[in-house]
């Protein structure tokens, strides 16, 4: 594969333009107003896989948005790599904070990306990283050096919980049979230091509703005499952490595995500057659970965060009212061994129990998933490390991510396969935020590195 660099350089303008066209389609799965756009994106992914060299590409109907399945089987006796990605994106809100329209991709230079980055919703998460695999396949097919079989499963509901993916995987285990699953929906430490994500946190996501009086009330006539749902909700949420930022839900930590001092020491080897971290976020100091450093708080420890809170009058000017209802959306990031359904139940029981008699509480679970850890002595990890080492010139560092990809645990349960997380994004890429972007360097380096994973995985499998 010595000509991979020259192939990428020769076709880089086309690779970039193709990604830009894909990013123009607003495939927001959380908003039904974009339903046709999500469908259109699925068709675009199907076409791209066909052009890249898949012999079979299907738009597979599900109870929700379709899954695009593609394959190129060159020899049933050779290993098979299953590539997973998603074509849906997060909502672009708040729109006013974007420096350019979220679905009108533009290339801008930054301090971190002097060669330019594509600014658009989905640029890094996950259209850009998913499309690297499509172009890597194109290279291997065009140059007749695809060393094994490859299958693609690209879904359209990752940003809303992947409910249809579980349905699809359970019903298509033979079709999806593989030797390793390859995903690029994570990041790496820097453009100089690659890393491989070996752990993911699980997730429990709920919405809470606190109801007081049967209607909005005049705050002068009723204030101080009836429970104010907004005040009550604020107090209930505040009570979910103690003075050490430890979560107070009974039983929450029962299954949390404490890492050994040796493992924590290995994690600490990853390059990290607390000052740069604070400066990048424009904060005076970090905040979190006592007894753990920043890189442990956001990776190996569970968390509870309010993602949204609302109630009462929010228009211009003043309206003296006690709202009848108050609401919040709450996510809990979980570590391996914590069962998300059990945590959801513990939260519901506790949150309901701490409500005063003057209000009623409703907890509605949205979605969740299990955490995951992949061993670094596996063939898949070793192949990924060799690929990164060849293209970046230094070995990758194993890291645990604070994010959640619930389907990874699903894949292991249903397909009995290990997953390798080869991410090429950076923490600064603003995924899920305004001004999301993906570096041109990262995009092209991914296309250059992925074929080497195939090469080394086949070699190590012999």
């Amino acid at each position: 594969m010595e000509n991979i660099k020259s192939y990428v350089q020769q076709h880089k303008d086309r690779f970039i333009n193709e990604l830009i066209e894909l990013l123009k389609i607003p495939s927001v799965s959380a908003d039904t107003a974009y339903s046709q756009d999500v469908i259109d994106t699925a068709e675009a992914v199907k076409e791209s896989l066909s052009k890249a060299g898949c012999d079979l590409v299907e738009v597979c109907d599900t109870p929700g948005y379709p899954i695009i399945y593609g394959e190129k089987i060159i020899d049933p006796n050779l290993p098979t790599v299953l590539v997973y990605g998603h074509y849906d994106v997060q909502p672009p809100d708040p729109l006013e904070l974007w420096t350019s329209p979220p679905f009108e991709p533009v290339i801008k230079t930054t301090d971190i990306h002097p060669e330019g980055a594509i600014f658009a919703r989905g640029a890094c998460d996950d259209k850009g990283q998913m499309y690297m695999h499509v172009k890597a396949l194109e290279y291997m097919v065009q140059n007749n050096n695809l060393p094994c079989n490859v299958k693609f499963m690209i879904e359209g509901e990752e940003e809303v919980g992947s409910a249809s993916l579980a349905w699809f995987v359970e019903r298509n285990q033979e079709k999806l049979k593989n030797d390793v699953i390859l995903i690029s929906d994570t990041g790496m430490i820097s453009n100089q230091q690659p890393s491989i994500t070996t752990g993911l946190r699980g997730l429990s996501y709920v919405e809470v509703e606190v109801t007081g009086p049967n209607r909005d009330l005049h705050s002068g006539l009723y204030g101080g005499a009836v429970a104010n749902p907004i005040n009550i909700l604020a107090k209930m949420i505040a009570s979910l952490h103690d003075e050490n930022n430890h979560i107070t839900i009974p039983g929450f930590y029962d299954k949390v595995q404490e890492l050994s001092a040796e493992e924590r020491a290995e994690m600490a080897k990853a390059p990290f500057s607390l000052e740069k971290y604070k400066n990048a976020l424009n904060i005076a100091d970090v905040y979190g659970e006592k007894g753990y450093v920043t890189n442990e708080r956001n990776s190996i420890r569970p968390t509870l965060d309010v993602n949204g809170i609302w109630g009462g009058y929010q228009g211009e000017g003043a309206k003296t009212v006690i709202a009848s209802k108050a609401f919040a959306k709450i996510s809990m990031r979980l570590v391996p061994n914590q069962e998300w359904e059990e945590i959801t139940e513990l939260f519901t029981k506790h949150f309901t129990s701490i409500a005063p008699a003057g209000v009623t509480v409703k907890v509605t679970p949205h979605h969740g998933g299990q955490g995951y850890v992949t061993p670094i002595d596996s063939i898949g990890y070793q192949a990924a490390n060799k690929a990164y080492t060849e293209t970046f010139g230094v070995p990758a560092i194993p890291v645990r991510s604070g994010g959640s990809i619930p389907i990874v645990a699903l894949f292991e349960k249903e397909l009995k396969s290990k997953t390798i997380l080869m991410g090429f994004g950076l923490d600064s890429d603003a995924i899920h935020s305004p001004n999301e972007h993906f570096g041109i360097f990262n995009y092209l380096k991914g296309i250059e590195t992925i074929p080497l994973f195939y090469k080394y995985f086949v070699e190590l499998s012999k």
Side-chain angles (χ1 to χ4, degrees):
M1 296 190 180
E2 61 279 353
N3 63 340
I4 178 64
K5 288 185 178 181
S6 60
Y7 188 87
V8 170
Q9 286 302 309
Q10 180 183 351
H11 297 278
K12 70 175 185 178
D13 290 341
R14 175 171 61 85
F15 290 170
I16 292 168
N17 290 333
E18 287 178 8
L19 175 56
I20 285 174
E21 290 303 309
L22 189 64
L23 291 169
K24 288 180 180 179
I25 314 175
S27 51
V28 180
S29 56
D31 188 340
T32 55
Y34 294 94
S35 293
Q36 187 57 51
D37 296 299
V38 180
I39 299 297
D40 291 346
T41 308
E43 288 293 335
V45 173
K46 175 191 175 185
E47 183 178 354
S48 69
L49 284 172
S50 296
K51 290 181 177 179
C54 282
D55 295 326
L56 170 67
V57 185
E58 301 172 330
V59 177
C60 302
D61 292 332
T62 75
Y65 287 118
I67 288 172
I68 308 304
Y69 173 82
E71 68 177 30
K72 188 168 185 66
I73 308 298
I74 60 174
D75 185 343
N77 295 316
L78 289 172
T80 298
V81 175
L82 173 63
V83 175
Y84 164 85
H86 65 93
Y87 60 83
D88 64 322
V89 301
Q90 281 276 318
D93 311 80
L95 294 173
E96 67 274 11
L97 296 183
W98 285 79
T99 57
S100 56
F103 297 108
E104 297 178 19
V106 295
I107 297 175
K108 308 174 190 178
T109 60
T110 71
D111 291 342
I112 295 176
H113 298 293
E115 74 298 320
I118 303 174
F119 280 70
R121 173 57 87 227
C124 180
D125 182 22
D126 178 48
K127 286 180 177 175
Q129 298 211 69
M130 175 270 291
Y131 207 67
M132 297 183 309
H133 291 269
V134 178
K135 296 296 96 179
L137 173 68
E138 175 194 308
Y139 160 74
M140 290 185 287
V141 171
Q142 289 294 321
N143 290 272
N144 197 31
N145 58 15
L146 178 64
C148 62
N149 308 310
V150 59
K151 298 176 180 178
F152 287 83
M153 177 171 57
I154 314 298
E155 68 151 322
E157 295 180 0
E158 195 273 346
E159 300 293 4
V160 290
S162 298
S164 297
L165 183 71
W167 179 92
F168 181 78
V169 170
E170 290 167 4
R171 288 160 176 77
N172 292 276
Q173 295 191 15
E174 186 61 31
K175 177 196 288 277
L176 300 172
K177 190 175 181 181
N178 64 84
D179 295 283
V180 69
I181 298 171
L182 188 59
I183 301 177
S184 294
D185 196 13
T186 52
M188 59 184 185
I189 293 172
S190 71
N191 284 352
Q192 295 74 43
Q193 178 58 68
S195 55
I196 301 171
T197 302
T198 57
L200 295 163
R201 289 193 289 191
L203 176 68
S204 169
Y205 196 104
V206 301
E207 182 172 325
V208 299
E209 175 184 324
V210 176
T211 302
N214 61 4
R215 64 187 187 278
D216 289 357
L217 303 177
H218 187 292
S219 65
L221 298 178
Y222 291 93
V226 299
N228 182 324
I230 300 175
N231 293 354
I232 297 299
L233 176 59
K235 290 181 179 180
M236 292 172 68
I237 288 173
S239 75
L240 295 175
H241 292 89
D242 65 17
E243 66 277 8
N244 295 318
N245 289 314
H246 199 263
I247 296 165
T248 57
I249 299 170
F252 188 86
Y253 291 95
D254 285 356
K255 295 183 179 178
V256 173
Q257 181 181 6
E258 292 284 348
L259 267 65
S260 66
E262 292 75 19
E263 289 177 283
R264 292 175 71 178
E266 282 299 310
M267 287 183 59
K269 292 179 180 179
F272 178 75
S273 167
L274 184 59
E275 287 307 310
K276 288 182 179 179
Y277 185 86
K278 292 188 293 185
N279 289 339
L281 300 175
N282 195 26
I283 56 176
D285 204 357
V286 291
Y287 186 84
E289 186 181 1
K290 186 177 180 179
Y292 298 90
V293 299
T294 299
N295 279 350
E296 294 174 331
R297 291 169 177 165
N298 64 17
S299 62
I300 64 171
R301 298 299 295 169
T303 61
L304 184 152
D305 285 292
V306 178
N307 303 125
I309 186 167
W310 68 99
Y313 181 66
Q314 299 172 51
E316 184 177 350
K319 182 181 182 183
T320 52
V321 64
I322 294 174
S324 172
K325 294 178 179 289
F327 305 84
K329 294 180 186 290
I330 297 173
S331 66
M332 290 161 281
R333 297 288 177 169
L334 312 176
V335 294
N337 295 340
Q338 284 184 298
E339 300 289 333
W340 76 269
E341 290 170 321
E342 180 182 355
I343 293 297
T344 302
E345 185 177 337
L346 289 174
F347 174 90
T348 302
K349 181 179 179 180
H350 176 68
F351 202 73
T352 304
S353 73
I354 62 176
V359 299
T360 58
V361 172
K362 178 183 177 182
V363 177
T364 303
H366 277 292
H367 61 270
Q370 299 303 119
Y372 181 79
V373 175
T374 190
I376 63 174
D377 60 353
S378 69
I379 291 174
Y381 179 90
Q382 294 172 23
N385 190 28
K386 287 173 72 70
Y388 276 119
T389 302
E390 184 164 332
T391 55
F392 284 84
V394 294
I397 292 176
V399 299
R400 292 205 185 189
S401 170
S404 303
I405 310 179
I407 49 87
V408 174
L410 167 73
F411 291 158
E412 179 145 350
K413 176 186 175 184
E414 298 293 338
L415 302 177
K416 308 297 187 289
S417 301
K418 292 295 182 184
T419 294
I420 303 302
L421 298 162
M422 289 186 69
F424 291 85
L426 300 178
D427 286 345
S428 58
D429 288 343
I431 64 171
H432 291 211
S433 300
N435 302 310
E436 177 182 351
H437 54 280
F438 191 36
I440 299 296
F441 169 88
N442 305 71
Y443 176 51
L444 299 178
K445 185 64 77 170
I447 300 171
E448 178 186 335
T449 305
I450 289 166
L452 295 169
F453 171 84
Y454 287 76
K455 172 188 174 183
Y456 290 124
F457 185 75
V458 172
E459 290 180 0
L460 293 168
S461 298
K462 293 179 179 177

